[in-house]
Amino acid sequence: MAILAPPVRRQRAMNKGKVERDALETADIRAGRLMMIPALIIPVLLAIVFFFGFYLTLRNRRLNRGDLGFVGLENYARLLQDDKFWHSLSLTLKFTLTDVGLELSLATLMALALSQPLRGIRIYRALLIIPLMTPPVVGALVWKVLYRSGNGGFFNYFLWEAGLPMQGFIGDPSQAIFSLVAIDVWLYLPFVAIILLAGLQTLPQEQIDAAHVDGANGWQVFWQIQLPYMIPFYIVALFFRVIDSLNIFDTIYGTTKGGPGDATRVLAVNGFETAFPFFNLSYGGAIFVALWLLCTVAGSLLFIWVKRSQAT
Amino acid sequence: MKLQNRTNRRRFVQGAAVGAAAVGASWLPTRTDRIRAMQDSFDWKQFDGGQVRLILNKHPYTESLLPLVPEFEELTGISVPEPLILPEAEYFQKLLLDLSTGAGEFDAFMTGPYVHWSYDSAGWTEPLEPFLADPNMTSPEYDEADIFKSLMDANRWDLTLGGGTGQGSQWAIPVMVETYVQSFRKDLYDEAGIEPAVTIEQWRENNAAVTSGDIKGIIVRGERGGGMTGTGFISSFRGYGGVVLDEELVCQINSAEGVHVAEQYCASVRESGPEGWANVTWYEGQESFANGSYGQYMDCDFFNALYDDPDKSAVAGQVGFAHCPHAEDRDPFSSLWTWALAMSSKAQDKNAAWYFLQWATMKEQMLVATVEGRNYNPTRASVFDAPEVQATMAEWANGTYLPVVLANLGGFATLGWSPQPEQTFVSTRWDQALQEIWAGDGAQTALDSAKEDIDAHLVDTGVRS
């Protein structure tokens, strides 16, 4: 037999509970607001830095001579007429397309291989993370040694041993950009492969089994089931890698510094060199604003693609 | 960063301990004797409790200096926190950021004439002549006149664009000097029956003649922004009468002499040099020559300390020295560079910083750094002429080191560049042009384009109208 509390006591208990709930909610709200502070501060700080950087591009600020006054959009007008800027832009796009294209293709193969129930696959997956843990500039310096000229270089030593002509790699204008792509692929291929592998592993096995029962071969399974299913994962990988490749700096500055000639002088290297060793902070800043614009456009296009793919 | 600091600290302490042991075992006066002798004539404890923060380039000079730093601390009571030591490219970037932003993270640093021209005109370096002239700040034993005048003058500038070196303020004190030479494999040259080249054409022929099998004829610096045009190349260019900037500061690298030397130089490197030349740094050139892969390295003279070290070099005892190629009707030319110590104008404790600079450039320290730390070439006459130093250098390069280097220091060597603050742009753009010529572009076209860019840059930056 249930013992019911008299209505007054019940009401009191309910009121007490409500007060406690309200107090808890108030505390939660306060804690939530406190925790939101960094999320509010960081965009504000970023905006301050960005607008200060943009403001610098409207002035003629030289590191070695100080602020020489307001020049308005002169630095941007100069950009449009600067052959070296357009050369850097074209190199940046060439690097990004080659780099991201190779990474996605190879990462697809790698993800498919890693999704197989092979012996020792877990160890291999763990080893795969090593390049990811390597700071890009360290990776670049290691590769610089591997690419060394003469038979003191790692790759050239094997070419020499095999009686093949030794190569210039990053020291040869026709090979330099592709040699740098190879470094970047080494650094980030595992990252892309892990994203794609995650996609493959969320695909229901029943669909693949059903396709096999219906007589589909491996290629048909990949092309008609796995690939469409993985598109959102490709977009995520693309988003990170396109933005990162457009911004490529450390790998290149750590190895070629933009050379030979200006064969690897991508936008970020051009901007840095203009701003610091050549002291023109304002014009270097304008190059970086152009790079930011490029990244924003690329990021927005990918974002639109994400939205559309979600809608379909 | 923390890891780097710990590593630096550990290496610093290890280096100090090893160095102190080595110094203690040498024929030189002991550390205690040196400190006692110095204290007798000057109040080194005047700024006891002060601090000097250093940033140093990873360089043989730095290696020779570090073991002596505890001695400075004991002598003066001024502490020296572990210095930040970085490879050359990173070093100059870090220093530039510190100086240009006025952060004042470092009080004293390593520099040299072409580099500090930018700093001097921007007001980032502290003039040192007031300290040198003040008997309360500079020991009577300092003997400024003992430092080679030409090298002190190389670090003196009155801020006149295109001239004025050797006048005005003393911006840095030189601690080592390098001139540029042909370091060649005497055994290979003898075998091929050739003499070291006088002209650039002979140089190209020699390089081709020595190239055979696994040996290539020539290695020179090729990295853009890594001193590529500033060592052997500019020495030959000037040896043919070329000038980088004329009196009106108009770029002349595309003159007939400039095109001729660049054509021969780049063709020779393409024919007889490394495949990936555009990536060759000074240390790669030095190592590759020392391991016997090349017939010649045209670069710094003092690199011979490695070449003739039988423990580290495969070519010890087989090296010869000659002047850089030049026109037959002209004297040889060598550009020169001095590593020097300078003070930041934002130094927290300028007196303590000056005490460090003074101490590091005194005879006693330079002698120990030279003999024990193999810091060649010293910038003090008394150290250069010390019997032990002379005896070592006299044997180098089969006896050809001293005659060539002394002839350079005696008059053939002078600053290869005109003083102005946009030196980095000028040299880097010239580097780029040489890489383009090496890759197959016409020399005249590449140098015309570089000249156009340099002239536009000098006008844009107000160096000339």
Side-chain angles (χ1 to χ4, degrees), chain A residues 3-295:
Chain A
I3 301 172
L4 293 174
V8 177
R9 284 179 59 193
R10 215 163 45 231
Q11 188 59 44
R12 275 186 193 153
M14 283 170 68
N15 285 347
K16 192 181 169 196
K18 186 173 182 301
V19 169
E20 282 172 356
R21 252 196 332 272
D22 286 350
L24 273 174
E25 276 171 16
T26 311
D28 282 350
I29 289 166
R30 275 197 203 126
R33 281 178 183 158
L34 274 174
M35 282 188 272
M36 276 181 66
I37 288 174
L40 295 171
I41 289 176
I42 290 169
V44 169
L45 286 177
L46 286 174
I48 290 171
V49 171
F50 178 81
F51 284 112
F52 179 69
F54 181 71
Y55 170 73
L56 272 181
T57 68
L58 305 178
R59 306 193 67 84
N60 184 5
R61 175 90 166 83
R62 306 285 174 141
L63 273 180
N64 58 345
R65 294 169 65 210
D67 193 340
L68 304 180
F70 184 76
V71 294
L73 296 173
E74 204 177 279
N75 283 317
Y76 294 96
R78 186 177 155 190
L79 265 189
L80 298 176
Q81 296 166 347
D82 184 353
D83 292 343
K84 291 175 185 64
F85 166 73
W86 292 108
H87 171 74
S88 294
L89 177 62
S90 118
L91 265 180
T92 307
L93 294 174
K94 184 177 171 184
F95 180 90
T96 303
L97 288 174
T98 319
D99 187 39
V100 176
L102 261 176
E103 282 173 7
L104 286 180
S105 313
L106 295 174
T108 303
L109 296 176
M110 194 178 265
L112 286 170
L114 290 172
S115 66
Q116 304 302 313
L118 302 173
R119 200 173 167 193
I121 200 75
R122 287 188 176 182
I123 295 171
Y124 187 70
R125 281 181 198 162
L127 289 175
L128 195 66
I129 299 172
I130 290 174
L132 273 179
M133 294 188 295
T134 311
V137 75
V138 174
L141 290 173
V142 170
W143 276 77
K144 188 177 183 179
V145 176
L146 299 180
Y147 279 146
R148 269 177 74 157
S149 57
N151 54 18
F154 180 79
F155 295 125
N156 272 325
Y157 175 78
F158 288 105
L159 290 172
W160 175 70
E161 279 282 312
L164 295 169
M166 291 192 272
Q167 301 298 315
F169 298 113
I170 53 174
D172 182 329
S174 63
Q175 300 172 6
I177 198 83
F178 300 108
S179 303
L180 292 172
V181 165
I183 301 176
D184 216 48
V185 168
W186 177 81
L187 281 166
Y188 293 107
L189 180 61
F191 172 72
V192 181
I194 286 167
I195 292 177
L196 299 186
L197 180 62
L200 274 177
Q201 287 180 334
T202 53
L203 175 64
Q205 187 61 33
E206 297 79 27
Q207 287 191 23
I208 296 173
D209 294 341
H212 283 306
V213 170
D214 289 345
N217 60 27
W219 170 251
Q220 286 168 323
V221 167
F222 171 71
W223 190 251
Q224 293 178 3
I225 298 176
Q226 290 176 307
L227 190 64
Y229 192 85
M230 285 164 64
I231 288 213
F233 295 89
Y234 276 105
I235 294 172
V236 170
L238 258 178
F239 188 84
F240 283 113
R241 293 306 304 135
V242 166
I243 304 290
D244 214 32
S245 299
L246 289 172
N247 278 307
I248 185 78
F249 174 77
D250 32 19
T251 308
I252 297 184
Y253 208 73
T255 49
T256 64
K257 293 192 170 61
D262 57 359
T264 60
R265 201 165 183 242
V266 294
L267 277 175
V269 172
N270 187 357
F272 174 81
E273 201 172 56
T274 304
F276 293 102
F278 300 163
F279 305 128
N280 195 339
L281 204 55
S282 294
Y283 190 56
I287 294 171
F288 279 115
V289 170
L291 178 57
W292 168 80
L293 203 60
L294 182 65
C295 292

Side-chain angles (χ1 to χ4, degrees), chain A residues 62-65 84 144 148-150 160 166 168 170-171 173 253 255 257 260-262 265 273 276 278-279, chain B residues 93 96-97 100 118 122 124 214 223-224 274-276 278-279 284 287 421-422 425 432 435 438-439 453 460-461:
Chain A
R62 306 285 174 141
L63 273 180
N64 58 345
R65 294 169 65 210
K84 291 175 185 64
K144 188 177 183 179
R148 269 177 74 157
S149 57
W160 175 70
M166 291 192 272
I170 53 174
Y253 208 73
T255 49
K257 293 192 170 61
D262 57 359
R265 201 165 183 242
E273 201 172 56
F276 293 102
F278 300 163
F279 305 128
Chain B
Q93 282 162 23
L96 176 66
L97 282 177
S100 64
S118 300
W124 299 339
D214 296 341
E223 190 187 42
R224 183 174 183 268
E275 295 77 17
N279 194 38
E284 190 180 338
E287 285 169 21
E422 299 296 329
F425 184 88
Q432 185 182 322
Q435 289 185 338
W438 169 78
D453 285 352
D460 180 48
T461 51

Side-chain angles (χ1 to χ4, degrees), chain B residues 45 77 82 119 146 213 238 240 263 297 303 339 359 380 410:
Chain B
K45 288 282 186 192
E82 78 217 47
Y119 308 163
D146 183 46
R238 295 291 305 265
Y240 272 80
E263 259 172 359
Y297 183 29
F303 286 172
W339 276 111
W359 167 85
R380 280 185 172 273

Side-chain angles (χ1 to χ4, degrees), chain B residues 213-260:
Chain B
D214 296 341
I215 306 272
K216 284 185 174 287
I218 183 67
I219 188 161
V220 282
R221 298 187 200 203
E223 190 187 42
R224 183 174 183 268
M228 184 232 281
T229 42
T231 58
F233 177 78
I234 197 174
S235 300
S236 292
F237 169 77
R238 295 291 305 265
Y240 272 80
V243 289
V244 183
L245 302 176
D246 66 15
E247 287 174 1
E248 274 76 45
L249 293 170
V250 177
C251 179
Q252 299 292 348
I253 60 171
N254 62 338
S255 62
E257 303 84 21
V259 172
H260 175 67

